[in-house]
């Protein structure tokens, strides 16, 4: 449901014209619904055993780390230092954790840097998709996994920019421009206009973000993945003991004794 809301929030220009209820009140409405859905995602993960109290603590720590890392790049020339942590955390802790971390990281960062505005829910959704999709990547190990994550990190830099441009494209250009949004156009023509707008206005910034993600994952990925996986193993509660029914054991001399086994080796 949260991912579906994000898709609708980004692609509304293709179904809702500017000046209607959807464009005037969408950001605060989406933000309120998003916070509720984030809570639902966390509760669902807790119910399924994907997130426990220690994983919630990890979520808070990584959200704070991302909030501190983001101002280091500040988006200058497209350089963003927050995405490689989202990619690696989503890979290790799963898509639900990655989605939630993307939202909470941008929320905390916005509060620290004063970046609260109508763009914030869209940034939260963009980062949430980056973290979530990392959890769905195919299995790989060793160097292949690092290269896979580096390639995905580079692609996610373009994906984030592509999605964020959708939030302001209908309001940013003169309607007479050949790449401006025009309500009522067929979907294919509208799509061509948007792709041309994205390439013309943000390709350079998105490339900077993609290169930053690729380099950060390639250099820091092995160490961070190892750290995350070690923390994930140590954060697990001890497996519950499972006892089997006592079984008779034959002893020399015809005597029988009873034995029991503990499923966890204790």
């Amino acid at each position: 449901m949260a991912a579906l809301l994000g898709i609708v929030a980004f692609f509304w220009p293709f179904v809702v014209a500017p000046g209607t209820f959807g464009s005037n009140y969408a950001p605060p409405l989406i933000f309120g619904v998003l916070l509720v859905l984030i809570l639902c995602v966390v509760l669902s993960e807790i119910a399924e055993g994907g997130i426990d109290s220690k994983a919630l603590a990890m979520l808070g720590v990584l959200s704070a780390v991302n909030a501190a890392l983001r101002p280091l790049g500040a988006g200058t020339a497209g350089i963003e230092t927050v995405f490689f942590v989202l990619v690696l955390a989503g890979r290790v802790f799963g898509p639900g954790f990655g989605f939630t971390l993307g939202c909470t990281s941008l929320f905390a960062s916005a509060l620290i840097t004063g970046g609260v505005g109508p763009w914030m829910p869209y940034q939260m959704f963009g980062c949430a998709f980056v973290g979530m999709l990392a959890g769905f990547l195919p299995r790989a190990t060793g160097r292949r996994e690092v290269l896979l994550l580096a390639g995905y990190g580079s692609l996610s830099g373009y994906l984030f920019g592509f999605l964020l441009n959708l939030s302001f494209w209908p309001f940013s250009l003169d309607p007479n421009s050949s790449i401006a949004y025009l309500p009522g156009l067929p979907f294919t023509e509208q799509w061509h206009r948007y792709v041309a707008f994205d390439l013309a206005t943000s390709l350079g910034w998105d490339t900077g973000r993609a290169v930053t993600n690729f380099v950060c994952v390639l250099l820091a990925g092995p160490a961070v993945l190892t750290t995350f996986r070690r923390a994930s193993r140590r954060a697990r509660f001890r497996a519950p003991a499972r006892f089997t029914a006592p079984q008779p054991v034959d002893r020399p001399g015809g005597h029988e004794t009873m034995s029991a086994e503990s499923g966890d080796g204790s």
Side-chain angles (χ1 to χ4, degrees), residues 94-161:
F97 187 96
F99 184 94
T100 308
L101 178 62
C103 291
T104 55
S105 296
L106 264 291
F107 181 74
S109 173
L111 295 181
I112 292 175
T113 61
V116 178
W119 54 85
M120 187 170 69
Y122 299 104
Q123 291 179 336
M124 292 170 65
F125 265 128
C127 287
F129 281 125
V130 170
M132 179 184 72
L133 294 177
F136 289 120
L137 293 176
R139 292 180 178 274
T141 57
R143 191 65 177 174
R144 291 181 58 189
E145 181 182 32
V146 175
L147 292 175
L148 173 67
L149 293 175
Y152 169 73
S154 180
L155 180 63
S156 68
Y158 291 104
L159 173 65
F160 181 81

Side-chain angles (χ1 to χ4, degrees), residues 41 54 60 64 85 92 118-119 121 127 136 146 153 174 184 189 198 204 206 213 234 242 252:
V41 170
K54 295 181 179 179
V85 177
V92 174
W119 54 85
C127 287
F136 289 120
V146 175
D174 184 345
E189 185 174 349
D198 182 70
D206 294 344
N213 293 347
R234 292 184 176 182
R242 297 186 303 274

